[in-house]
Amino acid sequence: SEAGDEGREEVGTMSEEPNLSQQRDPQSSMVLAAAIEVHKELGCGFLEAVYLNALCLELIQREIPFRREVAIPVFYKEVKLSCGYRADLLCFGSLLVELKAQSGIGEMDEAQVINYLRATRIERALLLNFGTPKLQIKRLILTPEFRNRQPIT
């Protein structure tokens, strides 16, 4: 099984077969391929900043459009808050990418990304953990049924 297949999850939808997933969301597949390459090259054990820098280089090499540590507005009851959130990466203008370099992805990590999706009104995210021997990947999609639920804590 390819590193990108393990640990993938879509919030609010059924899991998909990898080929169908690539057809439905080729942008996520492109970013995942870049992340897999970074993990193959560096392995685990570095700080998150190392993986972020390496992934940015890989995205540039693959000509994948992205912005790094971009400020994303957060809304509360249709009002833009004065504080916001800084995404590790925003690829293609609509794909949130959160990096971790820890012993595993926990429920709080997933809840954080889901809440970021809800608050920012972005629908897709990748949660990537470089801190394990095999790259951990969670693909999160905010469906309408989850968009209107109370925040996850």
Side-chain angles (χ1 to χ4, degrees), residues 11-133:
V11 175
T13 64
M14 298 288 287
S15 293
E16 305 173 338
E17 292 301 315
N19 290 339
L20 181 57
S21 177
Q22 289 175 1
Q23 291 170 5
R24 284 192 174 173
D25 191 1
Q27 294 175 341
S28 290
S29 297
M30 292 169 67
V31 174
L32 288 175
I36 290 167
E37 180 63 23
V38 168
H39 195 271
K40 280 183 189 176
E41 191 68 27
L42 294 176
C44 63
F46 290 103
L47 294 174
E48 181 181 317
V50 172
Y51 297 106
L52 181 57
N53 283 322
L55 183 55
C56 287
L57 290 174
E58 193 66 32
L59 295 173
I60 291 167
Q61 184 177 19
R62 294 169 185 247
E63 299 181 356
I64 295 172
F66 73 95
R67 294 187 339 195
R68 181 178 173 166
E69 297 176 0
V70 61
I72 297 177
V74 175
F75 294 87
Y76 174 75
K77 293 185 176 181
E78 305 301 319
V79 176
K80 181 180 171 184
L81 300 177
S82 60
C83 61
Y85 152 68
R86 289 204 172 272
D88 288 334
L89 295 169
L90 185 63
C91 298
F92 299 101
S94 62
L95 175 63
L96 189 75
V97 181
E98 271 299 307
L99 277 65
K100 301 290 182 189
Q102 54 196 34
S103 61
I105 294 176
E107 290 179 12
M108 290 304 294
D109 298 314
E110 293 180 46
Q112 180 183 31
V113 174
I114 292 166
N115 283 335
Y116 289 159
L117 290 176
R118 290 180 69 249
T120 60
R121 301 179 181 160
I122 293 172
E123 294 184 353
R124 302 176 298 153
L126 295 173
L127 175 56
L128 308 173
N129 183 28
F130 290 88
T132 54

Side-chain angles (χ1 to χ4, degrees), residues 3-9 32 35-36 105 126-129 134-139:
D5 295 342
E6 190 168 297
R8 185 184 65 232
E9 174 176 301
L32 288 175
I36 290 167
I105 294 176
L126 295 173
L127 175 56
L128 308 173
N129 183 28
K134 193 168 188 177
L135 178 66
Q136 288 183 314
I137 298 166
K138 294 282 185 175
R139 184 180 300 202

